[in-house]
Amino acid sequence: MDMPSNLSNSAPASAALYDRARRVMPGGSTRVTIWWPPHPPYAASGQGCRITDADGRVLLDFANNFFSLIHGHAHPEIVAAVTAQAARGLAFGLPTELDVALAEEICARAPALQRVRFCNSGTEAVMFAVKAARGATGRSMVAKMEGGYHGAYDPMEVSFDSGPSNWGERIPAAVPYTRGTPASVLDETLVLPFNDWPITEALIEAHAGRLAAVVLDPLPSRVGLVPGTPEYLQGIQALCRRHGIMLILDEVVCFRLHPGGAQTLFGLSPDYTALGKIIGGGQPVGAVAGTAEAMAVFDSTLGHRAIVPHGGTFSANPITMAAGLTSLRLLTPEAHARLDLLGERLRTTLARGFARDGIAAQVTGAGSLFRVHPHTRPIAGYRDALATAAEASWLKEAFGHLLAHGVLTTPNISGALSTPMTVAEIDEAADAIIAALRETA
Ligand SMILES: Cc1ncc(COP(=O)(O)O)c(C=O)c1O
């Protein structure tokens, strides 16, 4: 993708930083998701819903560090909590009251969130949930959705970016994401087609005796950011119950959909819930939560070593706990309701604008999440959502245009709202997104 010249030419400070980065990082980047040609703008500071980059340009931020900053940047109460804790100590080889308090805050939010173990990323949260499910069942196979993203754990990367050349017929093939993925990982990962109940049911039934868990994100962003139908979600939960398969709900992103998480919104009662992003208030975080019975595999007080030992030098570090606790306490039901209304306004304005201007695009999402698709196919799952090469190149160009006009989303033009936003920022972003797609069509 060629970035519009006004961005690359007017960003000498970011260009200089990227030059330095190329000498010390492969490709000049340390995160695949935040690199694009010729280079991303480098952030200097953030305040509320705006970021100032190294060249002094101000960006309206809908990326919110990949949906983790629900209160935007430098929220005064979060900054105060983190600063106060930093002065008391960054981390200890001991638990603190803060981890108890954040666990209590999470457990108060839904009946199936009865026990919590903290870690440092969503990747780890899903990984430990899978290990817990294996420990609880004594089985090793896990099921996940085609196209579903759950972080960088080997089995969770299977078929993450499969395409028409390798995804198989209606029954999805298990496609490795990185070269050298062990064949055993592919053999132990069952790939399901999201929202295709007959195939999903048949596949789970056929592998029930081997399956430790089904990993399910009810509003999976890479699959299309469309929700699972009630029949699909409830059907999977019922099948899991019937066969003693653990249901792992990945709420790393969709916990922001409701004060009680997506499980409350969709009426689900998972054995394990993988959490991350917003529960850390902007700091690195992950957590496995679940029923007391399912979480007992982590318990080392039962007279034997824990079935699934879990530690981590920085797990439950007090800086993250302080930020997360403050952030969740700020996230009142009223704050949720306001974000949902703003999200609805953004999606509706975009849909109307695309229709009005004859733009062959659509928007999906729910609550404070949205994603723009460079096509108008009805989307039930990954295969409908996946952009063709031509569609993907239009989206990339539109992203470049949007950024050049001061709005930051993820590179596939998805985003998450933050509480500092008002109707003015929503309408500003909607206008900019519509213009970006129109001008690059
Ligand atoms: C649904 C989902 N699960 C898990 C993860 C992994 O989280 P992390 O990047 O904190 O490892 C992500 C990250 O975007 C995600 O979107």
Side-chain angles (χ1 to χ4, degrees), residues 121-123 126 149-151 217 250 252-253 277 285:
S121 66
T123 294
V126 174
Y149 184 64
H150 305 282
D217 179 341
D250 182 343
V252 170
V253 168
K277 308 236 185 205
V285 79

mmCIF file of all heavy atoms in Angstrom, residues 121-123 126 149-151 217 250 252-253 277 285, ligand 1:
data_model
loop_
_atom_site.group_PDB
_atom_site.id
_atom_site.type_symbol
_atom_site.label_atom_id
_atom_site.label_comp_id
_atom_site.label_asym_id
_atom_site.label_seq_id
_atom_site.Cartn_x
_atom_site.Cartn_y
_atom_site.Cartn_z
ATOM 1 N N SER A 121 -1.513 -11.284 29.377
ATOM 2 C CA SER A 121 -2.022 -10.967 28.034
ATOM 3 C C SER A 121 -3.231 -11.848 27.745
ATOM 4 O O SER A 121 -3.454 -12.867 28.429
ATOM 5 C CB SER A 121 -0.942 -11.221 26.969
ATOM 6 O OG SER A 121 -0.663 -12.613 26.906
ATOM 7 N N GLY A 122 -3.955 -11.463 26.724
ATOM 8 C CA GLY A 122 -5.080 -12.288 26.282
ATOM 9 C C GLY A 122 -4.597 -13.621 25.739
ATOM 10 O O GLY A 122 -5.263 -14.647 25.889
ATOM 11 N N THR A 123 -3.434 -13.598 25.098
ATOM 12 C CA THR A 123 -2.846 -14.848 24.594
ATOM 13 C C THR A 123 -2.684 -15.843 25.734
ATOM 14 O O THR A 123 -3.080 -17.008 25.644
ATOM 15 C CB THR A 123 -1.459 -14.564 23.972
ATOM 16 O OG1 THR A 123 -1.633 -13.761 22.813
ATOM 17 C CG2 THR A 123 -0.733 -15.841 23.608
ATOM 18 N N VAL A 126 -6.080 -17.201 27.145
ATOM 19 C CA VAL A 126 -6.659 -18.298 26.359
ATOM 20 C C VAL A 126 -5.820 -19.562 26.550
ATOM 21 O O VAL A 126 -6.348 -20.664 26.724
ATOM 22 C CB VAL A 126 -6.757 -17.904 24.871
ATOM 23 C CG1 VAL A 126 -7.211 -19.088 24.036
ATOM 24 C CG2 VAL A 126 -7.708 -16.724 24.682
ATOM 25 N N TYR A 149 -9.467 -15.236 15.986
ATOM 26 C CA TYR A 149 -8.199 -14.817 16.596
ATOM 27 C C TYR A 149 -8.308 -14.899 18.110
ATOM 28 O O TYR A 149 -9.226 -14.333 18.706
ATOM 29 C CB TYR A 149 -7.833 -13.384 16.189
ATOM 30 C CG TYR A 149 -6.487 -12.990 16.747
ATOM 31 C CD1 TYR A 149 -5.336 -13.670 16.340
ATOM 32 C CD2 TYR A 149 -6.355 -11.978 17.690
ATOM 33 C CE1 TYR A 149 -4.092 -13.341 16.867
ATOM 34 C CE2 TYR A 149 -5.114 -11.637 18.215
ATOM 35 C CZ TYR A 149 -3.989 -12.334 17.798
ATOM 36 O OH TYR A 149 -2.755 -12.019 18.323
ATOM 37 N N HIS A 150 -7.367 -15.607 18.711
ATOM 38 C CA HIS A 150 -7.347 -15.725 20.172
ATOM 39 C C HIS A 150 -5.937 -15.530 20.710
ATOM 40 O O HIS A 150 -5.615 -16.038 21.779
ATOM 41 C CB HIS A 150 -7.866 -17.102 20.601
ATOM 42 C CG HIS A 150 -9.218 -17.441 20.059
ATOM 43 N ND1 HIS A 150 -10.388 -16.938 20.587
ATOM 44 C CD2 HIS A 150 -9.590 -18.206 18.999
ATOM 45 C CE1 HIS A 150 -11.426 -17.402 19.897
ATOM 46 N NE2 HIS A 150 -10.964 -18.167 18.926
ATOM 47 N N GLY A 151 -5.072 -14.833 19.967
ATOM 48 C CA GLY A 151 -3.707 -14.647 20.409
ATOM 49 C C GLY A 151 -2.770 -15.645 19.754
ATOM 50 O O GLY A 151 -3.145 -16.344 18.802
ATOM 51 N N ASP A 217 -15.715 -17.176 20.714
ATOM 52 C CA ASP A 217 -15.865 -15.723 20.880
ATOM 53 C C ASP A 217 -17.220 -15.387 20.264
ATOM 54 O O ASP A 217 -17.412 -15.581 19.056
ATOM 55 C CB ASP A 217 -14.723 -15.005 20.141
ATOM 56 C CG ASP A 217 -14.810 -13.486 20.244
ATOM 57 O OD1 ASP A 217 -15.900 -12.968 20.565
ATOM 58 O OD2 ASP A 217 -13.799 -12.816 19.955
ATOM 59 N N ASP A 250 -14.064 -16.660 24.913
ATOM 60 C CA ASP A 250 -13.009 -15.649 24.786
ATOM 61 C C ASP A 250 -13.668 -14.272 24.834
ATOM 62 O O ASP A 250 -14.277 -13.824 23.870
ATOM 63 C CB ASP A 250 -12.246 -15.841 23.473
ATOM 64 C CG ASP A 250 -11.094 -14.840 23.332
ATOM 65 O OD1 ASP A 250 -11.086 -13.824 24.068
ATOM 66 O OD2 ASP A 250 -10.220 -15.064 22.484
ATOM 67 N N VAL A 252 -11.851 -11.553 25.674
ATOM 68 C CA VAL A 252 -10.734 -10.600 25.726
ATOM 69 C C VAL A 252 -11.166 -9.255 25.140
ATOM 70 O O VAL A 252 -10.843 -8.198 25.679
ATOM 71 C CB VAL A 252 -9.498 -11.180 24.998
ATOM 72 C CG1 VAL A 252 -8.420 -10.125 24.813
ATOM 73 C CG2 VAL A 252 -8.943 -12.370 25.776
ATOM 74 N N VAL A 253 -11.935 -9.291 24.065
ATOM 75 C CA VAL A 253 -12.461 -8.056 23.477
ATOM 76 C C VAL A 253 -13.909 -7.813 23.925
ATOM 77 O O VAL A 253 -14.276 -6.722 24.355
ATOM 78 C CB VAL A 253 -12.386 -8.098 21.937
ATOM 79 C CG1 VAL A 253 -13.200 -6.963 21.320
ATOM 80 C CG2 VAL A 253 -10.934 -7.985 21.480
ATOM 81 N N LYS A 277 -7.342 -7.097 27.882
ATOM 82 C CA LYS A 277 -7.635 -5.727 27.422
ATOM 83 C C LYS A 277 -8.234 -4.835 28.506
ATOM 84 O O LYS A 277 -7.516 -4.374 29.370
ATOM 85 C CB LYS A 277 -8.545 -5.780 26.187
ATOM 86 C CG LYS A 277 -7.967 -6.727 25.104
ATOM 87 C CD LYS A 277 -7.765 -6.127 23.792
ATOM 88 C CE LYS A 277 -7.308 -7.161 22.778
ATOM 89 N NZ LYS A 277 -6.569 -6.700 21.661
ATOM 90 N N VAL A 285 -2.383 -7.163 30.524
ATOM 91 C CA VAL A 285 -3.192 -8.007 31.414
ATOM 92 C C VAL A 285 -3.818 -9.178 30.683
ATOM 93 O O VAL A 285 -4.037 -9.145 29.478
ATOM 94 C CB VAL A 285 -4.321 -7.169 32.080
ATOM 95 C CG1 VAL A 285 -5.495 -6.947 31.136
ATOM 96 C CG2 VAL A 285 -4.817 -7.815 33.381
HETATM 97 C C1 LIG B 1 -10.487 -12.147 20.935
HETATM 98 C C2 LIG B 1 -9.056 -12.048 21.319
HETATM 99 N N1 LIG B 1 -8.509 -12.991 22.104
HETATM 100 C C3 LIG B 1 -7.231 -12.935 22.497
HETATM 101 C C4 LIG B 1 -6.409 -11.906 22.100
HETATM 102 C C5 LIG B 1 -4.975 -11.877 22.531
HETATM 103 O O1 LIG B 1 -4.773 -10.845 23.438
HETATM 104 P P1 LIG B 1 -3.308 -10.209 23.659
HETATM 105 O O2 LIG B 1 -3.002 -9.379 22.451
HETATM 106 O O3 LIG B 1 -3.443 -9.411 24.914
HETATM 107 O O4 LIG B 1 -2.366 -11.367 23.810
HETATM 108 C C6 LIG B 1 -6.926 -10.899 21.288
HETATM 109 C C7 LIG B 1 -6.069 -9.779 20.854
HETATM 110 O O5 LIG B 1 -6.440 -8.922 20.081
HETATM 111 C C8 LIG B 1 -8.273 -10.976 20.868
HETATM 112 O O6 LIG B 1 -8.799 -10.052 20.049
#
